[in-house]
Amino acid sequence: MQGRTARSKRAGQLSVDLTGEGRSPGRWWELRGRSVAGQVLFLQIVVAVFLIAAAVAGLTLQARNDAEQDAQERSRAVAESFAHSPGLVAALESDDPTAALQPYVAAAHGGTGVDFIVVMAKDGTRYADTDPDLIGKRAAGVERAAEGEPFTEIYEGDPTDAARAVVPVTNGDGAVLGLVGAGVSLRTVGQSLQDQIPVIMASAGVALLLAVGSAALVSRRLRRQTRGIGPSEMTRMYEHHDAVLHAVREGVLITSRDGRLVLANDEARRLLQLPKDSDGQHITELGLDSATVELLCSDRPVTDQVHLAGGRLVAVNTRRTAPSGGPSGHVATLRDSTELRALAGTAEVARERLSILHEAGVRVGTTLEVVQTAQELAGVAVPRFADFVTVDLLDAVVRGEEPSGTPTPTRMRRTALRGIQEDHPFRPVGGVVPLDVTGTPAASALTSGRAVLEADLTTVHTWPAQDPEGADAVRAYGIHSLVTVPLQARGIPLGVAHFWRTEGSAPFDQEDLTFAEELTARAAVAIDNARRFTREHTMAETLQRSLLPHVLPNQSAVDIAYRYLPAQARVGGDWFDVIPLPGARVALVVGDVVGHGLHAAATMGRLRTAVQNFSTLDLPPDELLTHLDELVSRLDQEDPEGSSGEAVTGATCLYAVHDPASGRCSISRAGHLAPMLVHPDGTVEMAEVPIAPPLGLGGLPFETAELQLSEGSTLVLYTDGLVERRGRDIDEGLEALRSTLAGAHERTPEEICEAVFDGMLPEHRHDDVALLIARTRLLDRSHVADWDVPRDPAAVGTVRNASSRQLTAWGLDDMAFTTELMLSELLTNAIRHGSEPIHVRLLYDRALICEVSDGSSTSPHLRRAATTDEGGRGLFLVAQLAERWGTRYTSTGKVVWTEQSLTQQPSAEAPLPDPRLFPGLDDLSELEP
């Protein structure tokens, strides 16, 4: 109740505000600005007061008239009774009428209820009167009675105003003898009226109270119904109501809680074709379709739901009326959208195409893969624009090569196919699409560089000529419309995209052609970017693979297995190498160059070449990394991020040398991860190798770790791409690798590589991965022979004979002479030019290795001696007889070594070199013990 009152007050205030009229507090009689209920109450009270006052006045006048009428009638009755009383005629004819009549008059006055009775002569002279003082005086206005006509009247005059009656008195002949008058004074009449005034006023007061009360009840009811609004606002509301009913071109329909029609304007009646007498009928009785009836009767709110009504598309909105303060029911608005349907459809198509273009910008070209980009184009267009999409590209584009730019290629390859159905009549992905017939949509599009629209494929004659069976299958499938758009970038054709529509879809039109060109132009740029990236990636990967080892060298120090995978996005600079070293040793190398792309691959090749060159010097690992560090520094100084844009500084490298004769492994690393070591018993640990800064940074010396490895130990060398991953700490990756290598001692190196890659590779690789597995071997002690040699020339023959016997034991008799010759020369040089200790070692491996070591660091040099020189030809002889020879330095001196092939050795019957060139050869017999 309070809420309604407040709303009424607000409505009244709103009315004042809207009309611009204020309510004057000092002029209560002004009705403008009051609410309708207030005005009605005021007018009802005024009317009630007026009516009651009129009624009181009327009643008073009526009572007065009644009293006067009653007085006149009573006076006439008294007068006539007295005129016909016996003896009156005789008294009039007597000599003294006054004496005869006065007693009778006085006696009659007391019980008649009149104020006076008078008997008069015919001329009005009073014979007798209730007032004796008036006897003899003449009464006025009695002429009619004197003529024989009785009458009654309200007499105003002397002696008093009164309601009187005058009746003639006649004899038997009808002659008038006298007159009798009777009357009631008007004062007496007024006195009787005053007695009725209180009753009249009380009745008037009661009537006024009843009228005011009823008016108040009516006003209260009206105030509740009108919500306290003013007359101007009510007028405006009714004007709006009429406008809604007749002028608004949007249908309004109100139903009650029980589903009966309360109100429907003209537009609603027109849209729903309602009958004229539909008001008050139930919705189900109006002849509407079931869907519309259900919608109008439902309690759920509906917004712009389109229904077909009477051949028109009507947008319906429904809401409940109760939440807005009205009675429980529903209000529905109906909007005829038939005329706007075409425009709305055009806008919807434009919005949908903008959405497709936006989606194409987001989805197409995300992977930088040519095939995937073509598939993304097809996926965006199906089914929102076309029912089927096929993309055909030139073979060179698919491979990432630069297109030739020829006007019309003769063939393309199907790269992508997407449709609304799994079964289709098109060539499968990967199939060759011929273009040997001119005038086809694809050939025309490639030749002209413009899209081709074939709204009706049944009218195309050149297309079936190229592929009759395929064309028949396409038509039989129900495909009837085609748009072919060339894919071109920088003016060079890349391929074509075909957009197809089947039965149930409208044919393509000119607007579809324009949209297809815009969509395909965006995709062509993405395909060209993917092609260029593929080309760069392929070139970098090809370069990198060409710089990596293709075939591992033959060696007996370790069993090797390796894996290399380039990054999926851009090729990096990871690399590895296996380098055979003298003395049956092997060097294992793993490195990583910072950056990606061609520069990283080229830098990797330079570093690998440098390591191979440095390894020929047979340097210890720490010294080799020192030289490599200096090289990297020079490379960056020559091109400090200039033309290449990337520095070499920061490259990492690990260099390990394994000696199968001693089982020792020397390892040094520059910023690289330490290798994992799997012992023969299955224990896995990270090798403790001192770390130094990456190459090119300098500052700290490189250190070497010496590991004693048992036969069957496994070294696992890897790059950080294997264990490092975004969102994961590198320690977690190392622990995962350690877990993966559990039980590796029972698997071959190849099996270990497979297990590591299966368990460690991420789904998306952002960096190269290089993995090198090396299982150590030890030379059979029976294939190693060594002697300590005193610094005495006589010891040469003893060692030579001992080596000959050892070669015989190994079954190498055919190599004895050559070996004795080289060993004698090397040992003689060590005795003459070196220092103790002197040691000789023979290794029988894939080659026959002869090593002579001494305590001097003086390096022997090969030179060509003149014919007159007595010496200087020993190393030349060694170089001629050995497959390889060289010198390596140790912490205690140097080792001069030779290698002889076991399969390509000169026979024992081979002639000796000319003694004139090698004069010392004839003295070899002197070395016999």
Side-chain angles (χ1 to χ4, degrees):
M1 185 67 185
Q2 294 177 354
R4 292 184 178 180
T5 303
R7 287 195 298 269
S8 299
K9 292 181 179 179
R10 289 194 296 270
Q13 295 171 358
L14 178 62
S15 174
V16 173
D17 295 339
L18 291 175
T19 59
E21 300 172 353
R23 182 180 301 174
S24 175
R27 302 168 63 184
W28 58 269
W29 58 87
E30 291 188 1
L31 298 181
R32 298 179 64 184
R34 294 179 178 272
S35 65
V36 173
Q39 291 187 12
V40 170
L41 175 62
F42 180 80
L43 292 176
Q44 283 184 328
I45 293 175
V46 171
V47 170
V49 171
F50 177 77
L51 292 178
I52 292 174
V56 169
L59 289 175
T60 303
L61 292 176
Q62 182 66 33
R64 185 179 184 86
N65 290 334
D66 290 345
E68 290 178 353
Q69 184 68 28
D70 180 69
Q72 291 180 13
E73 291 178 356
R74 189 167 60 251
S75 298
R76 184 166 183 168
V78 171
E80 287 183 351
S81 297
F82 197 86
H84 292 87
S85 63
L88 179 60
V89 174
L92 289 174
E93 291 179 351
S94 67
D95 294 335
D96 190 3
T98 302
L101 293 174
Q102 183 65 30
Y104 290 104
V105 171
H109 174 262
T112 58
V114 295
D115 291 335
F116 63 89
I117 299 176
V118 61
V119 180
M120 298 171 290
K122 186 175 179 180
D123 58 357
T125 303
R126 292 180 176 85
Y127 291 135
D129 197 325
T130 54
D131 185 2
D133 296 335
L134 296 178
I135 295 175
K137 294 182 178 181
R138 187 176 180 177
V142 294
E143 289 79 6
R144 289 186 298 168
E147 293 178 0
E149 179 185 358
F151 68 90
T152 59
E153 66 176 354
I154 299 300
Y155 173 76
E156 296 179 355
D158 293 331
T160 182
D161 296 338
R164 71 177 181 175
V166 180
V167 177
V169 178
T170 61
N171 58 13
D173 295 333
V176 177
L177 299 178
L179 301 175
V180 177
V184 179
S185 66
L186 292 182
R187 183 180 300 172
T188 303
V189 173
Q191 186 64 37
S192 64
L193 182 61
Q194 289 180 358
D195 295 338
Q196 297 181 15
I197 289 299
V199 177
I200 294 175
M201 295 305 294
S203 300
V206 172
L208 181 60
L209 291 176
L210 292 176
V212 172
S214 62
L217 291 175
V218 171
S219 177
R220 181 179 178 183
R221 178 70 175 177
L222 183 61
R223 182 184 298 274
R224 183 181 304 169
Q225 294 294 329
T226 62
R227 300 179 183 272
I229 62 176
S232 60
E233 184 65 22
M234 179 170 287
T235 301
R236 184 176 303 158
M237 182 176 65
Y238 277 103
E239 291 174 351
H240 294 171
H241 179 268
D242 291 340
V244 169
L245 285 178
H246 307 297
V248 173
R249 303 311 299 167
E250 183 167 341
V252 178
L253 187 144
I254 302 177
T255 59
S256 62
R257 179 173 55 185
D258 57 355
R260 296 188 177 275
L261 180 63
V262 176
L263 175 68
N265 67 349
D266 294 347
E267 183 68 7
R269 295 179 184 277
R270 182 182 72 86
L271 294 177
L272 300 180
Q273 299 180 355
L274 300 179
K276 295 182 178 180
D277 58 347
S278 59
D279 292 346
Q281 295 185 17
H282 198 274
I283 293 296
T284 56
E285 302 172 356
L286 300 180
L288 303 176
D289 61 276
S290 58
T292 305
V293 170
E294 180 181 0
L295 180 65
L296 296 177
C297 294
S298 175
D299 288 336
R300 62 184 177 88
V302 175
T303 301
D304 289 339
Q305 185 167 335
V306 180
H307 279 262
L308 183 64
R312 293 182 174 273
L313 293 174
V314 179
V316 182
N317 296 267
T318 63
R319 296 293 186 273
R320 297 187 61 186
T321 58
S324 301
S328 179
H330 298 83
V331 59
T333 59
L334 305 96
R335 184 174 64 257
D336 188 359
S337 61
T338 305
E339 293 79 2
L340 300 177
R341 195 62 179 175
L343 180 59
T346 303
E348 179 65 21
V349 170
R351 187 195 65 81
E352 178 67 15
R353 290 181 176 177
L354 286 176
S355 176
I356 295 175
L357 290 177
H358 172 72
E359 184 178 352
V362 174
R363 289 179 51 187
V364 178
T366 59
T367 60
L368 290 177
E369 295 182 1
V370 175
V371 175
Q372 182 65 27
T373 303
Q375 293 174 350
E376 290 169 349
L377 168 62
V380 168
V382 175
R384 300 167 65 182
F385 176 68
D387 297 327
F388 287 91
V389 173
T390 57
V391 180
D392 304 331
L393 298 178
L394 302 177
D395 286 337
V397 175
V398 177
R399 294 191 301 267
E401 300 174 1
E402 187 73 24
S404 61
T406 56
T408 304
T410 59
R411 51 180 285 176
M412 290 186 296
R413 190 168 299 277
R414 175 83 15 107
T415 309
L417 191 156
R418 182 67 64 87
I420 58 176
Q421 299 291 340
E422 293 295 334
D423 60 324
H424 56 80
F426 303 103
R427 295 177 183 271
V429 174
V432 176
V433 180
L435 292 175
D436 49 0
V437 177
T438 60
T440 62
S444 300
L446 286 175
T447 302
S448 64
R450 302 180 61 85
V452 176
L453 170 64
E454 298 294 348
D456 187 3
L457 287 177
T458 59
T459 62
V460 181
H461 303 293
T462 55
W463 170 51
Q466 175 180 298
D467 186 8
E469 295 182 0
D472 293 340
V474 168
R475 289 173 176 173
Y477 192 83
I479 295 176
H480 60 83
S481 189
L482 166 67
V483 170
T484 300
V485 185
L487 289 163
Q488 54 186 0
R490 297 173 287 112
I492 300 177
L494 307 176
V496 293
H498 303 276
F499 301 90
W500 313 80
R501 283 184 180 175
T502 61
E503 294 179 353
S505 299
F508 288 110
D509 54 21
Q510 194 65 34
E511 293 183 358
D512 295 326
L513 178 70
T514 303
F515 173 75
E517 287 180 326
E518 184 173 0
L519 176 63
T520 308
R522 298 189 179 192
V525 174
I527 291 175
D528 189 54
N529 290 338
R531 179 200 62 78
R532 298 172 68 181
F533 173 80
T534 302
R535 179 187 180 192
E536 179 185 349
H537 183 80
T538 303
M539 290 174 61
E541 185 175 350
T542 302
L543 174 61
Q544 187 176 38
R545 291 191 179 277
S546 67
L547 297 176
L548 289 172
H550 297 283
V551 179
L552 293 180
N554 294 325
Q555 45 82 32
S556 302
V558 289
D559 289 333
I560 292 293
Y562 67 93
R563 293 290 187 274
Y564 171 77
L565 282 180
Q568 292 176 328
R570 298 181 64 192
V571 173
D574 292 11
W575 57 284
F576 68 93
D577 208 346
V578 179
I579 306 172
L581 297 178
R585 296 169 304 141
V586 66
L588 307 175
V589 192
V590 174
D592 186 0
V593 177
V594 294
H596 296 82
L598 289 174
H599 173 73
T603 303
M604 176 271 293
R606 298 171 76 176
L607 294 184
R608 178 171 178 255
T609 302
V611 170
Q612 288 182 335
N613 291 335
F614 290 146
S615 66
T616 59
L617 300 177
D618 212 347
L619 299 174
D622 54 345
E623 294 185 19
L624 185 142
L625 291 183
T626 300
H627 289 289
L628 193 63
D629 180 71
E630 294 175 354
L631 173 64
V632 170
S633 298
R634 286 199 305 273
L635 292 177
D636 278 342
Q637 290 174 2
E638 293 173 0
D639 186 13
E641 301 188 23
S643 59
S644 65
E646 295 184 21
V648 184
T649 298
T652 64
C653 183
L654 183 145
Y655 188 83
V657 177
H658 174 62
D659 185 355
S662 63
R664 298 187 64 81
C665 181
S666 302
I667 305 177
S668 184
R669 58 178 176 142
H672 204 84
L673 295 171
M676 288 287 181
L677 177 59
V678 182
H679 295 283
D681 60 357
T683 304
V684 182
E685 65 175 346
M686 180 176 288
E688 296 183 1
V689 181
I691 187 170
L695 298 174
L697 297 180
L700 294 177
F702 296 98
E703 300 182 46
T704 300
E706 297 288 343
L707 304 180
Q708 186 66 42
L709 302 181
S710 303
E711 186 172 10
S713 299
T714 303
L715 277 173
V716 180
L717 283 67
Y718 51 91
T719 57
D720 56 359
L722 182 66
V723 296
E724 197 171 25
R725 191 179 307 175
R726 292 179 180 177
R728 187 180 72 177
D729 188 76
I730 191 170
D731 292 336
E732 297 179 6
L734 293 173
E735 187 61 32
L737 177 59
R738 191 194 308 271
S739 301
T740 304
L741 293 175
H745 64 291
E746 299 177 353
R747 298 192 292 263
T748 64
E750 282 292 336
E751 293 173 344
I752 296 174
C753 284
E754 292 294 334
V756 170
F757 266 36
D758 291 342
M760 295 294 297
L761 284 185
E763 182 178 357
H764 299 286
R765 299 186 308 278
H766 300 283
D767 197 1
D768 296 3
V769 177
L771 176 65
L772 185 63
I773 307 294
R775 178 158 293 169
T776 62
R777 294 177 181 175
L778 293 181
L779 290 179
D780 189 348
R781 292 304 303 173
S782 61
H783 288 188
V784 179
D786 55 350
W787 302 273
D788 290 326
V789 181
R791 191 175 184 182
D792 183 1
V796 175
T798 304
V799 174
R800 187 181 62 202
N801 292 336
S803 65
S804 179
R805 291 191 297 270
Q806 184 63 58
L807 293 177
T808 301
W810 288 341
L812 301 177
D813 292 332
D814 53 350
M815 302 176 64
F817 177 76
T818 305
T819 303
E820 290 178 7
L821 186 61
M822 291 187 297
L823 181 58
S824 298
E825 181 60 34
L826 296 178
L827 189 55
T828 301
N829 284 341
I831 293 173
R832 288 180 181 179
H833 306 291
S835 61
E836 294 182 336
I838 300 173
H839 188 80
V840 175
R841 184 172 70 167
L842 293 180
L843 301 177
Y844 176 29
D845 191 40
R846 295 178 180 271
L848 179 61
I849 302 169
C850 177
E851 298 178 346
V852 177
S853 61
D854 64 84
S856 172
S857 59
T858 302
S859 175
H861 296 283
L862 178 65
R863 67 185 180 87
R864 183 180 295 275
T867 55
T868 58
D869 293 339
E870 295 183 359
R873 299 176 179 83
L875 288 180
F876 184 78
L877 175 64
V878 171
Q880 292 294 316
L881 297 178
E883 185 178 12
R884 293 195 309 159
W885 77 281
T887 304
R888 70 173 181 271
Y889 296 92
T890 65
S891 59
T892 59
K894 67 176 181 296
V895 177
V896 182
W897 56 269
T898 63
E899 284 189 9
Q900 301 175 72
S901 174
L902 300 179
T903 58
Q904 297 179 359
Q905 289 295 326
S907 63
E909 292 77 12
L912 287 173
D914 189 351
R916 293 173 296 177
L917 297 178
F918 303 98
L921 288 180
D922 53 356
D923 297 332
L924 288 178
S925 58
E926 299 177 359
L927 297 177
E928 291 290 344

